[in-house]
Amino acid sequence: MKTEVSYGFPSAQIANRFLHELKNWHVAQVETRLFKGDDSVKVSYEYDQRGFDNTLSELDSLAEQYGGKEV
């Protein structure tokens, strides 16, 4: 199952830092793109249905480190 989540950041520069961090992310294979302007990022990934998938929790934590919030 494909899951999507979007995060808003204080500036375009910070959003791009978050986006680039996810290009080589070790937690899960994700697809990223800027969303609704240059200060938001949309993340898509395949939900692991075999058990507990902590990808969303890890994404939330990483976004929070960059001052981002789910939108």
Side-chain angles (χ1 to χ4, degrees):
M1 174 171 62
K2 190 167 193 163
T3 303
E4 294 182 334
V5 61
S6 300
Y7 296 98
F9 295 91
S11 71
Q13 182 179 21
I14 295 172
N16 277 296
R17 287 180 185 160
F18 176 74
L19 189 134
H20 289 293
E21 174 93 19
L22 292 176
K23 288 190 185 266
N24 296 309
W25 201 40
H26 68 280
V27 176
Q29 190 72 11
V30 296
E31 298 174 15
T32 59
R33 66 181 175 94
L34 291 176
F35 176 70
K36 288 189 177 182
D38 56 359
D39 62 348
S40 299
V41 176
K42 180 178 258 185
V43 182
S44 303
Y45 66 94
E46 286 293 325
Y47 182 79
D48 183 6
Q49 298 179 0
R50 294 176 290 175
F52 180 74
D53 185 349
N54 67 341
T55 304
L56 184 56
S57 174
E58 294 287 336
L59 284 167
D60 287 347
S61 294
L62 182 62
E64 191 175 304
Q65 290 176 18
Y66 284 93
K69 294 182 181 178
E70 192 172 336
V71 291

